[in-house]
Amino acid sequence: MTSSALVPSAPSADPMADRIAEVSRNTAETRISVRINLDGTGQAKLHTGIGFFDHMLDQIARHGLIDLDIDCEGDLHIDGHHTVEDVGITLGQAFARAVGDKKGIRRYGHAYVPLDEALSRVVVDFSGRPGLHMDVKFTAGSIGQLDTQLVFEFFQGFVNHAGVTLHIDNLKGVNAHHQCETIFKAFGRTLRAALERDPRSAGVIPSTKGSL
C-alpha cells in the first residue's frame, strides 16, 4: 500500500517568491519525507541510512543551490533498492510541485563536471515528458553501501515523477567514486541552470505550445 501527500506552499502573487514543496511517501518498504526550496543556498539535512547516497544527495543541494531535507526509513535489512528508488520518486514529486507552471524558468540546463580522471555530462529539459537516457559504465559494483546499479533507479524514479527529460553520460573515469560524484555534481549544476528565472521571459512559459 502506498500513500503520497503533496503539501503545497502558500500561493503568492510575487513572481520571485521562493519555490518550496513538501512531499511524504509511506509504503510497506519505505517512509520518506522530503522538503525542498529551489531558491535556497544549498543547505541539506539528509538521512537515508546509506552514507554514500547521502553524500551524493548533498552534491545536488550544494551545486544546485537547493535547500534539501530528506528523511527516509527503508528496509535496508533487505538491500538499498527500495530506499534509493523511492527517494528518487519522492524527490521528483517535490520538484514537480515546487516548479509549478514553469513560467519564467530557463527550462534547459547542462553541465560538464570533472573530478580528477573522471568527467561527466548531464543535460535536462523540464519538458513535462519523462525520459532517462543514461550511459554510465561504473568500474565497481558498489561504492560504500551504495550498489551502483541503483544510481539508474534513483534517476529513473526522479524523471518519471518530475516530468523531465534527462541525459547522463560519464565520458571517462576509472574510479567509481569519482564517476558517481561527477554525475551528481553535474546534475545539481544542471538543475540550477534549468530552474533559474530568466528576467527576459518573466511570466512566460518557455514553449511554443503555451504549456509544459
Side-chain angles (χ1 to χ4, degrees):
M1 187 167 100
T2 301
S3 66
S4 295
L6 300 185
V7 183
S9 53
S12 172
D14 181 3
M16 295 304 293
D18 284 349
R19 296 168 292 181
I20 297 172
E22 297 181 26
V23 177
S24 63
R25 174 183 171 86
N26 299 316
T27 75
E29 298 166 341
T30 57
R31 294 176 59 84
I32 302 173
S33 64
V34 170
R35 185 182 189 277
I36 63 170
N37 179 357
L38 300 183
D39 303 295
T41 59
Q43 301 301 306
K45 296 179 182 178
L46 306 164
H47 181 264
T48 66
I50 303 174
F52 186 75
F53 186 40
D54 286 350
H55 181 46
M56 293 300 97
L57 294 171
D58 195 24
Q59 304 307 319
I60 298 173
R62 295 290 181 90
H63 294 276
L65 291 182
I66 296 164
D67 290 346
L68 187 57
D69 191 338
I70 298 177
D71 186 77
C72 176
E73 295 181 15
D75 53 2
L76 295 179
H77 62 285
I78 297 175
D79 67 9
H81 192 289
H82 299 141
T83 291
V84 175
E85 180 180 31
D86 287 5
V87 167
I89 290 170
T90 312
L91 187 61
Q93 291 173 340
F95 266 79
R97 178 64 202 180
V99 172
D101 61 13
K102 305 174 189 172
K103 287 181 179 178
I105 68 169
R106 295 193 184 277
R107 174 178 169 178
Y108 300 100
H110 72 275
Y112 288 80
V113 169
L115 176 56
D116 295 345
E117 89 297 343
L119 174 66
S120 292
R121 175 185 61 214
V122 177
V123 185
V124 73
D125 175 11
F126 275 79
S127 60
R129 298 184 300 278
L132 174 62
H133 306 273
M134 184 169 169
D135 186 3
V136 179
K137 297 175 178 64
F138 282 110
T139 59
S142 63
I143 310 167
Q145 295 176 307
L146 178 68
D147 181 342
T148 52
Q149 294 183 90
L150 299 183
V151 175
F152 177 88
E153 301 302 330
F154 168 78
F155 285 113
Q156 186 69 77
F158 179 86
V159 302
N160 284 346
H161 292 268
V164 302
T165 301
L166 183 64
H167 288 252
I168 299 172
D169 296 280
N170 175 238
L171 303 177
K172 59 182 69 175
V174 175
N175 183 289
H177 185 130
H178 293 171
Q179 289 177 293
C180 198
E181 191 161 335
T182 57
I183 289 167
F184 277 85
K185 285 180 174 177
F187 180 57
R189 291 276 171 174
T190 297
L191 292 174
R192 178 179 171 184
L195 295 173
E196 185 179 30
R197 291 180 168 112
D198 185 349
R200 295 180 62 193
S201 61
V204 176
I205 293 175
S207 172
T208 55
K209 295 189 297 292
S211 66
L212 287 170

